[in-house]
Amino acid sequence: AFTGAGATVAVIGRSAERSEAAAEEIGGGAVGIAGDMTVKADAERAISETVERLGRIDALVNSVGGGIVDRMSPAEDFPEEDWRYVMALNLDSALFPSQAAARAMIAAGRGGSILNVSSVRGELALRAGYTPYVASKGALNMLTKQHAVEWAPHGIRVNAISPTFVRTA
């Protein structure tokens, strides 16, 4: 959709090969960039590389996320390691690239748009085993609102969409 509207796209993912393959499939000059968005240094480097390779960044879509479906635990027993993993996957992966992209957008003075992919589960509880998922998506909704308020004076719009279950690989 972005390339169809005339944009040049950077696909950022943990696997360089998969990111480059996705960029090739998208076409339109899209580029693949490797980086783990749960790691602040990776996010900053990937956004910087995007600006270097494409000349600017006008929009960011944070679509990293998920849960742990193979190790579900009730809330009273949810392991700390799994909690931290899901929080990083759903919250850090939006915070770190958003910070880097916002700095680039502010420096360029053209504004921009950041879109976070949240979940209806950020507003609605779910059966046992989803404690960190619903907490992280609820936090992402508030992070979206906070960033929208803070970055509006710079012409940066920040929104979230909240789909329900999505079948993915």
Side-chain angles (χ1 to χ4, degrees):
F2 280 108
T3 57
T8 306
V9 174
V11 178
I12 303 171
R14 287 180 282 197
S15 164
E17 296 79 25
R18 290 179 66 190
S19 297
E20 290 165 6
E24 188 174 313
E25 185 177 330
I26 290 169
V31 298
I33 297 172
D36 182 343
M37 295 303 96
T38 68
V39 177
K40 185 172 183 149
D42 270 18
E44 290 177 353
R45 182 196 43 75
I47 296 299
S48 178
E49 185 176 337
T50 297
V51 173
E52 286 173 19
R53 291 177 71 181
L54 302 182
R56 64 197 237 194
I57 183 166
D58 296 313
L60 172 69
V61 178
N62 290 311
S63 63
V64 176
I68 299 176
V69 296
D70 60 338
R71 293 191 313 273
M72 302 296 251
S73 300
E76 67 274 15
D77 294 320
F78 212 93
E80 180 181 356
E81 178 180 317
D82 290 350
W83 167 269
R84 295 193 186 288
Y85 171 79
V86 175
M87 293 301 283
L89 186 63
N90 291 320
L91 195 55
D92 295 357
S93 69
L95 172 64
F96 299 148
S98 293
Q99 290 175 314
R103 282 194 303 272
M105 291 172 184
I106 291 167
R110 288 188 308 275
S113 179
I114 297 173
L115 178 65
N116 295 318
V117 179
S118 186
S119 170
V120 296
R121 297 305 168 186
E123 300 290 328
L124 303 169
L126 192 57
R127 63 188 173 275
Y130 286 86
T131 292
Y133 183 81
V134 299
S136 62
K137 291 300 186 173
L140 179 58
N141 292 344
M142 287 308 301
L143 186 70
T144 300
K145 292 175 184 181
Q146 181 62 33
H147 287 172
V149 169
E150 280 197 48
W151 296 333
H154 302 287
I156 301 171
R157 294 178 317 281
V158 185
N159 298 101
I161 57 170
S162 296
T164 187
F165 291 107
V166 177
R167 186 179 309 247
T168 64

